[in-house]
Amino acid sequence: MTELPPRRVLFRCDGAPIPARLGEQRWFDRRHIRSRGDRADLTLKIEERGGTVLTAIRSRSTDLVRIASYVYRADTLVPRAATNDASDERWRRHFALCIPVADLAYWEDPDVQGRLNSALNFGTGDTWEFAFAQATAEFWPLPFSIDPAELYDRPTAVSLFSGGADSLCVLLEAIAKGERPVAVGHWSTDTHEHRQTGLLTDLRRRYPGLAIPHFGFTVQGINQEGPEHTRRTRGFLFASLGAAVASEIGVERVLYGDNGPISINLPLNGQVVGAHASRSTHPKFLERFNHLIAGMFDHPIAVENPLLMRTRPEVLEVLTRTHAQDLLSSTLSCSTWRGRPIATPHCGVCTQCVDRRFATIAAGLEAVDPASRYQHDVFLEDLLDWEARMIAVSYVRFAQEINRLSDDDLLLHYGQLFDALTEDDPQAERTLRRLVELLKRHARSVLDVLATMTKRHLTELVEGRLPATCLLRIAVAGAVVPETGVSISKNLIETLQPEPPVASIPPLKAAPRENEFVFDADHWRWRLTYKDETRTVKSSVNLTRLACLLAEPFRAFSPEELLATAHPNPPGMMDVPQAISEGLGLEHYGAGGFLFDEDSGEFIEKGISGLRAAADAAREKGKDARAAEFEEEIARTKAEWEKGLKLDGTPRPHPDNVTRRPDSMRRSIERAILDIADRLPVLAEHLNDSVSIKDARYAYQPKNGATWRVVRPSS
Amino acid sequence: MGHIHFVRLPPTPPWRAVVRQIQDPSAGVRSIATATAAAAADRLDRLREDASLVYCFWLLSRLTSAARRPDFVDSLADVGIRAAPSDTAIVFVARVAELSRRELERHPESSPFGEFASLSLRRALTETVGSEGRSLFGSSLDDLERALAKHATPHRFGEIARRFFGDVLSRTLRFYVEKELSLYVGPGWGLASTAHADAFITDLDRYARQTATVMETFAEEWFALHDFRSGGRIGRDEAQGFVAEALRKIRDELDGRPAA
């Protein structure tokens, strides 16, 4: 097998010269990063929302912000993944950056460079080296609009604000304690900016005596984001921005908040190693970052995480204490938020969404953060995507393990806990004990939520109405034994002998092969098993629809219900070409218009309202082209909406759909069975006997009592 | 949680064989461990010269030797650890963790195995204190020194080495297996629930630690020779020789080959 060494990439930033010691080495690639000129590929701007005085940010602050921006850009440009890299050897990269700086003497100090490398190394898992050169005077200053500190009523802290729930709680708690915080945000898109400014506007309304100034940094690639999305340098960037602003406005504290379990980010399962889990607020990263900035500025500045010893539900209690629960729905946690509909900004299955979902239930905040705002219900819906299943199952297993282990065994299994101790902690043992207790509370919280959801959906579990690959079924092993009320998992755990010798452990028996209608995402085929015969069939939307029938035997679907079950993307936000590309077929929408109901209408109205606000914001910032794009989107959405309205303005189904849809659906199901007949005739025969199409209703009604394990494609 | 990077095993024939066994683990953990070691053979072979693994084992052996000396705290300085007699055992392990981390950062080519070595070093120290019936919580540096000193004999050094390499092997196997395991948990799979999955991982971990027993005698002999020759200051070259041979023995055991 070919050795896979770390990728070594040399970056020349804004024309800084490459010294011979770097130039003579072999590099996998040599690239440029430019923040100026026609070939600029990095935008770096600072904006103060409401600032009136333009000044230049000071040298070392500028240097730190620029270094962090180049580092961030470089991080996104070099991919970590490689094919056939079972041992993750391409995960680590080796970066060399040549960077112009204003204070060359400072940055050339080997001690400073060592501390810079150390902070980045821990935060990213990569190796970093730097070569600094003198920046030209006219190039360097970063325009920074800022009111004099007196106009901000003597701010007491910088609060790093991402628009997420935790950073909102940091702000709220600081305000509640009498602090006068300045918010610093980083965004790479208008959506991010819009969200942060919206939340802060809300906060200012609630606290009219506070200005809560907001500095926003735009640090992003121009035209194209890089291929690497893990962005482990984001923590360094964010901390650097906070430190730079703190330096300029004369405050000593930078609040960088994330709850404790996220901050120490222990591996959810054995494949997670080092910086595979993000370390933005890890105590060791913050220790090393603070070591870097010690002595850098005119006054001491330290970045601290006020949420380290709290679980996420405990953090969210801040919202309740400050009567700001309603703000939770405006925060965003999802890591795959781009392109999501406004009504469902959270995917529901990434690590951040899963953790948020559990936390909001534990904190009693479901009313303001309901399941409907998550595109996928991790508890109740199929976890078909491999990553979604990996995350959800590992999340629960992690909590179960933490709950089971004694405090001493926790230290054995999770030696990473020692990394959370800082060198100068005078009470290291007490800190470690508190971290252990924190993890135990986190585990307890997760398991309590699981128990709550199990009780809430007990009837569906017992009746077998939940999909086989939903988290509840996986976590509680299928069903509660009827009449006894005892869970199957409890039975099985009790039958496992404690610590038997290896040789005497009986092999786990394979489950008997049941009938299967399983979508194989890796090969884009369906795997069908019926009466011990297995065949694969090429994927089609027709088979997806048939699978929906098999998943819910004896349920009579209308064409609309079957369509919505098979393809649950909200139709209102989908244009016709996209609908066709996803196989929804024009014939199901008559002449190509949309069928709207009242829910769709409300949804579209909210969407248009959001688009309008975004257009206004873009126009305010002079981004007319962007504003025009938003206006076009509004016009397009309105035109489609109006096609589906009667003269009195109420929604109407397209007349052709009334007759066309049932025929189309019948043909779709029949085609699916024909496709199966070519490969597995005995199954096709069974389906012909069992699928009922009557009065425009479709149902699977097996006379032979056949049951199915159905795995559908992710939506 | 913050963002976590998850991947799957490559769809190559050796790894597919591992995945099939994970999907239906009725053949047992030994079979899965053997298949995993076979699929990762090239990478595991290179561990015999891995700088991070060698360093962590070397440090462990030097700490053990130092515990036998009257000037334990001063001896720690020889290996780069700044300790004070008033330190707790937890503070000491944290210092060892930081020292090993600094060394790992110089060897990115170790990839995840450097991290495993550092974690296994911490675990070996913690377990050694635990072997004396003590919790690391509340233990002093003296307690740790006494526990280590009891293992600074050829016979008992084998235990420490076994703990270390057993943990390295366990983390290595889990590193690969966990890239797929959670995908095959639930109704219809051999691992019908998360409880089954955890039982499986516990079995795999136990198997790994028992497999490491194969190098225990060799560790005793090695320590007896080299600790004596070096006056308690075993060098990295010696440690490297040990690591290479220990891993060979472990690999042979995994592959079912008779001991040489």
Side-chain angles (χ1 to χ4, degrees):
Chain A
M1 183 175 165
T2 308
E3 186 170 321
L4 293 174
R7 273 202 184 99
R8 291 164 47 85
V9 183
L10 173 65
F11 284 90
R12 190 177 179 193
C13 303
D14 280 320
I18 300 175
R21 68 174 172 86
L22 291 181
E24 289 162 1
Q25 294 182 37
R26 287 184 61 189
W27 300 96
F28 173 79
D29 199 4
R30 297 181 184 221
R31 303 191 63 161
H32 289 266
I33 296 176
R34 298 181 181 93
S35 64
R36 291 153 51 99
D38 296 337
R39 291 192 292 169
D41 64 322
L42 172 67
T43 296
L44 169 56
K45 286 191 300 191
I46 312 169
E47 299 174 47
E48 197 271 320
R49 321 302 293 156
T52 59
V53 175
L54 193 66
T55 183
I57 196 171
R58 277 170 274 190
S59 299
R60 286 200 197 149
S61 302
T62 303
D63 287 343
L64 181 62
V65 169
R66 284 197 185 274
I67 290 169
S69 302
Y70 293 132
V71 157
Y72 181 69
R73 180 65 176 155
D75 179 20
T76 64
L77 291 175
V78 181
R80 291 188 185 269
T83 52
N84 296 339
D85 184 15
S87 302
D88 289 356
E89 295 193 86
R90 273 276 191 263
W91 169 259
R92 290 174 186 248
R93 304 160 298 176
H94 182 125
F95 291 93
L97 272 67
C98 303
I99 296 178
V101 291
D103 193 339
L104 182 61
Y106 179 81
W107 292 101
E108 278 193 327
D109 183 340
D111 185 47
V112 172
Q113 290 204 25
R115 287 185 263 147
L116 176 60
N117 297 344
S118 173
L120 282 169
N121 193 306
F122 187 82
T124 67
D126 300 309
T127 304
W128 297 83
E129 56 179 315
F130 296 89
F132 295 106
Q134 186 65 55
T136 55
E138 64 271 14
F139 163 72
W140 206 237
L142 265 177
F144 185 40
S145 66
I146 178 175
D147 273 341
E150 293 80 27
L151 294 181
Y152 288 136
D153 196 26
R154 294 181 304 281
T156 57
V158 164
S159 188
L160 294 176
F161 184 60
S162 64
D166 284 11
S167 65
L168 173 65
C169 289
V170 169
L171 256 183
L172 280 166
E173 190 168 71
I175 293 169
K177 286 181 177 173
E179 300 251 25
R180 292 178 297 281
V182 166
V184 171
H186 159 246
W187 49 68
S188 53
T189 67
D190 292 328
T191 309
H192 255 146
E193 177 188 354
H194 189 55
R195 186 172 299 278
Q196 291 176 25
T197 52
L199 275 166
L200 288 172
T201 300
D202 232 308
L203 279 185
R204 291 187 192 106
R205 271 202 295 270
R206 287 163 195 261
Y207 299 98
L210 281 179
I212 316 180
H214 182 203
F215 294 95
F217 287 78
T218 301
V219 180
Q220 65 182 89
I222 294 176
N223 298 325
Q224 188 186 345
E225 292 296 324
E228 182 52 46
H229 299 294
T230 50
R231 302 192 188 192
R232 292 293 184 260
T233 51
R234 189 164 185 272
F236 182 81
L237 173 67
F238 215 11
S240 298
L241 302 179
V245 171
S247 165
E248 293 307 300
I249 64 175
V251 304
E252 295 185 355
R253 294 169 60 225
V254 178
L255 307 178
Y256 191 177
D258 249 335
N259 66 83
I262 283 187
S263 297
I264 57 179
N265 223 355
L266 293 184
L268 288 193
N269 70 33
Q271 71 154 291
V272 180
V273 183
H276 287 187
S278 62
R279 291 170 156 177
S280 298
T281 50
H282 193 288
K284 183 156 292 292
F285 168 71
L286 294 184
E287 179 188 34
R288 291 189 179 188
F289 184 84
N290 284 332
H291 198 209
L292 167 66
I293 63 175
M296 185 182 287
F297 304 112
D298 295 340
H299 60 274
I301 294 172
V303 182
E304 61 187 75
N305 177 8
L307 307 180
L308 177 63
M309 290 301 180
R310 282 182 258 185
T311 65
R312 197 163 196 181
E314 291 164 357
V315 169
L316 293 180
E317 283 171 14
V318 173
L319 293 172
T320 306
R321 284 203 301 273
T322 57
H323 308 290
Q325 300 95 315
D326 56 302
L327 292 181
L328 180 60
S329 61
S330 301
T331 64
L332 181 67
S333 304
C334 185
S335 63
T336 62
W337 53 269
R338 286 175 199 261
R340 292 212 178 275
I342 295 167
T344 53
H346 291 97
C347 70
V349 292
C350 68
T351 46
Q352 291 92 323
C353 279
V354 170
D355 192 50
R356 176 184 169 119
R357 186 87 202 280
F358 271 84
T360 54
I361 295 171
L365 292 171
E366 278 183 274
V368 290
D369 193 46
S372 59
R373 285 184 55 78
Y374 295 78
Q375 196 151 353
H376 201 95
D377 190 327
V378 68
F379 293 103
L380 305 178
E381 294 181 39
D382 271 319
L383 294 170
L384 298 173
D385 174 72
W386 73 265
E387 195 166 0
R389 193 183 317 185
M390 175 82 68
I391 289 168
V393 172
S394 299
Y395 187 83
V396 169
R397 286 179 55 209
F398 176 75
Q400 289 171 333
E401 184 178 44
I402 298 292
N403 186 59
R404 194 172 55 240
L405 292 172
S406 68
D407 290 1
D408 284 331
D409 284 348
L410 253 177
L411 292 188
L412 287 180
H413 287 249
Y414 292 100
Q416 294 90 338
L417 282 167
F418 290 99
D419 291 325
L421 299 176
T422 55
E423 280 187 44
D424 58 357
D425 186 346
Q427 298 194 7
E429 182 146 338
R430 178 165 178 268
T431 300
L432 193 60
R433 203 173 265 292
R434 288 181 70 199
L435 287 171
V436 166
E437 289 163 5
L438 167 77
L439 288 168
K440 290 285 191 180
R441 294 199 308 276
H442 165 77
R444 188 70 262 150
S445 168
V446 169
L447 298 178
D448 285 346
V449 167
L450 209 51
T452 296
M453 297 304 282
T454 302
K455 285 178 206 155
R456 197 182 288 179
H457 298 280
L458 195 57
T459 304
E460 292 145 273
L461 270 169
V462 170
E463 293 176 358
R465 287 193 285 117
L466 290 182
T469 59
C470 74
L471 184 60
L472 279 191
R473 281 200 67 184
I474 293 172
V476 299
V480 172
V481 176
E483 294 157 13
T484 66
V486 176
S487 74
I488 288 177
S489 61
K490 184 167 180 293
N491 270 339
L492 285 169
I493 288 167
E494 284 170 351
T495 62
L496 289 174
Q497 297 298 321
E499 305 219 4
V502 171
S504 70
I505 295 175
L508 291 168
K509 291 195 172 108
R513 293 289 281 184
E514 58 179 319
N515 298 326
E516 291 189 334
F517 209 96
V518 171
F519 184 71
D520 179 352
D522 286 340
H523 299 100
W524 212 251
R525 301 186 74 82
W526 286 89
R527 188 180 71 242
L528 313 179
T529 301
Y530 182 66
K531 291 191 174 176
D532 294 325
E533 267 194 79
T534 299
R535 296 287 185 276
T536 59
V537 182
K538 193 175 164 193
S539 170
S540 72
V541 293
N542 305 318
L543 284 163
T544 303
R545 292 162 193 165
L546 180 60
C548 294
L549 298 184
L550 267 60
E552 296 187 70
F554 301 102
R555 176 183 167 187
F557 287 86
S558 67
E560 291 79 12
E561 285 168 348
L562 189 51
L563 206 60
T565 305
H567 314 288
N569 280 320
M573 293 301 285
M574 196 185 297
D575 60 26
V576 172
Q578 184 177 357
I580 294 172
S581 74
E582 295 196 357
L584 294 184
L586 271 178
E587 72 270 18
H588 295 291
Y589 295 95
F594 293 92
L595 172 66
F596 291 122
D597 56 22
E598 283 180 12
D599 286 344
S600 308
E602 190 183 319
F603 175 77
I604 287 168
E605 275 180 27
K606 279 187 184 164
I608 290 175
S609 176
L611 287 169
R612 190 162 285 127
D616 290 343
R619 207 169 287 110
E620 262 177 46
K621 287 190 296 187
K623 294 183 186 176
D624 292 334
R626 190 81 181 103
E629 284 174 21
F630 284 124
E631 296 288 357
E632 255 183 61
E633 182 71 29
I634 292 170
R636 192 163 58 232
T637 306
K638 275 172 127 172
E640 288 301 331
W641 166 239
E642 278 156 14
K643 278 186 201 171
L645 294 178
K646 299 181 202 171
L647 282 174
D648 61 2
T650 56
R652 88 176 147 209
H654 194 289
D656 284 357
N657 287 347
V658 173
T659 52
R660 195 176 294 196
R661 181 170 292 111
D663 278 349
S664 301
M665 192 58 74
R666 177 179 54 75
R667 284 199 298 276
S668 176
I669 299 296
E670 286 171 352
R671 275 200 292 270
I673 298 176
L674 276 175
D675 288 344
I676 292 170
D678 282 342
R679 305 282 296 146
L680 196 54
V682 61
L683 174 56
E685 189 182 336
H686 167 70
L687 290 171
N688 277 326
D689 281 341
S690 306
V691 172
S692 157
I693 302 175
K694 191 176 170 187
D695 297 330
R697 293 273 159 176
Y698 309 85
Y700 171 66
Q701 298 168 330
K703 299 178 184 66
N704 64 358
T707 59
W708 292 85
R709 176 173 165 264
V710 178
V711 178
R712 293 185 356 232
S714 55
S715 50
Chain B
M1 296 290 120
H3 180 265
I4 299 178
H5 175 73
F6 286 110
V7 293
R8 298 186 66 179
L9 289 173
T12 56
W15 288 114
R16 283 207 171 117
V18 174
V19 172
R20 279 195 292 274
Q21 294 211 42
I22 294 171
Q23 291 171 334
D24 178 5
S26 52
V29 292
R30 178 179 190 140
S31 178
I32 289 176
T34 302
T36 303
D42 286 352
R43 186 61 185 92
L44 297 184
D45 283 345
R46 281 191 281 127
L47 284 184
R48 295 178 195 174
E49 296 177 349
D50 184 85
S52 300
L53 186 56
V54 168
Y55 173 82
C56 289
F57 176 73
W58 167 81
L59 187 58
L60 181 62
S61 64
R62 287 294 294 268
L63 292 176
T64 309
S65 296
R68 217 179 40 222
R69 300 164 68 92
D71 55 344
F72 176 61
V73 171
D74 291 338
S75 303
L76 296 175
D78 290 346
V79 293
I81 297 177
R82 175 183 51 87
S86 56
D87 282 346
T88 62
I90 280 174
V91 166
F92 178 76
V93 175
R95 291 220 172 96
V96 171
E98 176 66 13
L99 182 68
S100 63
R101 176 164 296 292
R102 297 274 181 194
E103 181 70 17
L104 262 52
E105 288 169 2
R106 298 174 50 221
H107 298 288
E109 71 279 7
S110 294
S111 303
F113 302 98
E115 185 87 9
F116 297 159
S118 176
L119 292 169
S120 298
L121 170 61
R122 302 172 206 191
R123 177 162 180 153
L125 292 173
T126 305
E127 270 187 310
T128 299
V129 171
S131 70
E132 301 302 308
R134 293 193 66 90
S135 164
L136 205 66
F137 288 107
S139 288
S140 64
L141 184 57
D142 272 349
D143 294 325
L144 187 144
E145 180 190 351
R146 272 196 290 277
L148 273 178
K150 287 183 182 173
H151 288 77
T153 63
H155 175 62
R156 293 205 68 185
F157 181 79
E159 290 176 31
I160 283 193
R162 170 177 47 80
R163 286 182 195 131
F164 177 79
F165 282 97
D167 194 65
V168 169
L169 179 61
S170 174
R171 290 183 192 275
T172 298
L173 291 174
R174 282 183 285 147
F175 168 71
Y176 291 113
V177 167
E178 286 275 24
K179 292 185 180 205
E180 295 285 332
L181 187 81
S182 288
L183 306 181
Y184 305 109
V185 176
W189 294 110
L191 300 171
S193 72
T194 53
H196 283 87
D198 291 339
F200 171 83
I201 287 295
T202 300
D203 290 345
L204 188 66
D205 176 75
R206 193 177 304 127
Y207 175 74
R209 293 177 198 284
Q210 291 191 339
T211 299
T213 310
V214 73
M215 45 68 67
E216 193 166 341
T217 305
F218 172 62
E220 295 168 7
E221 293 163 357
W222 176 86
F223 188 76
L225 176 65
H226 291 285
D227 185 56
F228 171 73
R229 274 187 186 170
S230 66
R233 291 184 168 83
I234 291 171
R236 296 226 203 162
D237 286 345
E238 285 81 24
Q240 211 226 289
F242 176 86
V243 167
E245 182 60 18
L247 288 180
R248 189 192 63 74
K249 287 183 181 298
I250 290 173
R251 275 298 309 283
D252 286 347
E253 179 71 8
L254 279 174
D255 294 344
R257 284 195 282 268

